Amino acid sequence: PQSFPELKNDTFLRAAWGEETDYTPVWCMRQAGRYLPEFRETRAAQDFFSTCRSPEACCELTLQPLRRFPLDAAIIFSDILVVPQALGMEVTMVPGKGPSFPEPLREERDLERLRDPAAVASELGYVFQAITLTRQKLAGRVPLIGFAGAPWTLMTYMIEGGSSSTMAQAKRWLYQRPQASHQLLRILTDALVPYLIGQVVAGAQALQLFESHAGHLGPQLFNMFALPYIRDVAKRVKAGLQEAGLAPVPMIIFAKDGHFALEELAQSGYEVVGLDWTVAPRKARKLVGKTVTLQGNLDPCALYASEEEIGRLVQQMLDDFGPQRYIANLGHGLYPDMDPEHVGAFVDAVHRHSRLLRKN
């Protein structure tokens, strides 16, 4: 591994490992996003996936929110769909519509089109370069988070061919082609493991797995087609890091709308369980017990409120989560029309109120 500048603020990592912290660390999903005018300016020059393939652009976008706000972690600018791309699928980003796969998986035999998952990491060298460059440029200010999409969520995009409100085509596979579904989920898992390990080799100090489409599965389908692979990713990444002689990094699982599986997720091998805003923090804490850190979960739309009201909502959230084993975040990513000033108010309120909480 490379030698990087010494880390000056490890509050986020300490909270992730369940160690005591002086205040509650905070970062935001999609903190490098279109709500920042400087992000829109940097991104205007090239299309989305070209940006993802430019280590310099990814580094700049990752650092932008840290110039504005005293966030406690950076998350590399990239996209979960670089993995299906590396497996040989064409993906474009259609402005105003989102991701689009011109030739989604329709039949079982379409799985034969996919590249060998073992080759995926070598296709994604540009992500590793972006991580290494960003880690250097961060100069030890805060830790850098790497990430990937979980197998089921990637499968939905590959079959639906884009966003969907029902995921009916992907779920049709689960019911009509359970064997082929498991085969695809195994291919994705086999691709994700070396990809995530590669991110740590490149300099990522924590990893988040996004199961963004958990909510489309009920408990039965989730336990059959999502959870086993979520577990497998954590287990194999940890074993791989150990085999490579690398120090372990904390891993975060964020299963959006997966409230029905909180207990299972807390026992799936991740140090941190991310919550969306539909989950009551005190209930979540009861379900997951004391051995994991929770992350979340302010409704992103709360940032439309006045700065005063944001302060009040943050105070309530911190009171509910309690001072330790907790990382503050939103319950989903920032939206493009949000006011950066209000994001700053959120970050400041977390720091201010969490210090007060510890005093009292």
Side-chain angles (χ1 to χ4, degrees), residues 3-10 135-136 138-143 205:
S3 62
F4 291 113
E6 196 187 341
L7 184 59
K8 301 183 191 89
N9 173 1
D10 66 350
R135 196 52 211 279
Q136 294 289 2
L138 270 169
R141 197 168 137 183
V142 291
Q205 290 151 293

Side-chain angles (χ1 to χ4, degrees), residues 328-345:
N329 204 316
L330 302 171
H332 194 222
L334 284 159
Y335 302 146
D337 64 350
M338 286 178 165
D339 182 347
E341 297 289 320
H342 287 214
V343 177

Side-chain angles (χ1 to χ4, degrees), residues 36-355:
L36 291 175
E38 58 269 36
F39 177 96
R40 296 196 297 271
E41 206 174 305
T42 306
R43 274 275 298 106
Q46 51 191 168
D47 80 273
F48 183 80
F49 285 110
S50 303
T51 306
C52 289
R53 283 190 284 273
S54 160
E56 293 74 23
C58 291
C59 175
E60 168 58 23
L61 294 168
T62 301
L63 296 175
Q64 284 175 350
L66 297 172
R67 294 186 191 123
R68 274 190 190 247
F69 316 118
L71 294 154
D72 294 291
I75 182 164
I76 194 67
F77 176 82
S78 185
D79 195 85
I80 66 171
L81 298 181
V82 298
V83 169
Q85 273 184 339
L87 283 166
M89 293 192 79
E90 191 191 336
V91 191
T92 57
M93 195 61 80
V94 182
K97 183 184 164 240
S100 171
F101 289 68
E103 292 182 52
L105 304 175
R106 286 282 173 246
E107 305 293 330
E108 212 162 313
R109 63 169 182 268
D110 292 341
L111 296 181
E112 292 160 22
R113 301 197 326 237
L114 300 176
R115 283 197 193 116
D116 174 6
V120 162
S122 61
E123 291 284 324
L124 294 171
Y126 60 86
V127 179
F128 304 149
Q129 287 167 7
I131 287 172
T132 302
L133 180 63
T134 306
R135 196 52 211 279
Q136 294 289 2
K137 288 267 168 82
L138 270 169
R141 197 168 137 183
V142 291
L144 179 60
I145 304 168
F147 73 91
W152 157 249
T153 292
L154 295 178
M155 172 179 170
T156 60
Y157 281 108
M158 292 162 79
I159 291 172
E160 298 288 343
S163 305
S164 154
S165 58
T166 60
M167 303 295 158
Q169 293 311 313
K171 289 176 75 176
R172 177 194 288 249
W173 272 58
L174 303 184
Y175 284 111
Q176 290 186 350
R177 306 184 176 125
Q179 288 335 104
S181 297
H182 280 299
Q183 190 190 340
L184 174 53
L185 291 161
R186 273 196 301 273
I187 290 169
L188 286 163
T189 304
D190 290 346
L192 286 167
V193 170
Y195 177 49
L196 288 165
I197 293 169
Q199 291 188 43
V200 176
V201 173
Q205 290 151 293
L207 296 170
Q208 178 154 315
L209 194 68
F210 285 85
E211 188 69 282
S212 310
H213 297 162
H216 292 276
L217 301 173
Q220 276 175 305
L221 286 182
F222 187 83
N223 288 342
M224 215 181 298
F225 293 101
L227 190 63
Y229 301 98
I230 287 171
R231 281 198 186 117
D232 207 28
V233 166
K235 194 171 94 195
R236 288 169 58 187
V237 166
K238 288 177 177 192
L241 290 175
Q242 202 174 357
E243 270 165 43
L246 291 163
V249 300
M251 294 181 71
I252 307 164
I253 176 67
F254 176 61
K256 186 167 181 297
D257 299 316
H259 48 84
F260 51 81
L262 278 181
E263 285 168 277
E264 290 81 357
L265 289 166
Q267 289 157 33
S268 61
Y270 293 75
E271 284 70 32
V272 183
V273 175
L275 303 177
D276 63 61
W277 70 91
T278 65
V279 182
R282 289 175 196 267
K283 274 191 191 155
R285 180 51 79 193
K286 259 201 199 93
L287 286 171
V288 305
K290 292 197 167 65
T291 55
V292 294
T293 292
L294 290 173
Q295 176 177 278
N297 74 339
L298 191 72
D299 179 356
C301 292
L303 297 187
Y304 295 130
S306 68
E307 294 188 23
E308 230 174 350
E309 177 70 358
I310 290 168
R312 204 186 56 72
L313 293 165
V314 164
Q315 189 168 346
Q316 181 63 61
M317 176 174 82
L318 294 182
D319 289 348
D320 288 346
F321 274 105
Q324 301 298 343
R325 273 202 175 276
Y326 172 52
I327 296 160
N329 204 316
L330 302 171
H332 194 222
L334 284 159
Y335 302 146
D337 64 350
M338 286 178 165
D339 182 347
E341 297 289 320
H342 287 214
V343 177
F346 167 67
V347 173
D348 291 342
V350 170
H351 288 155
R352 196 174 58 246
H353 187 65
S354 66
R355 284 196 155 96

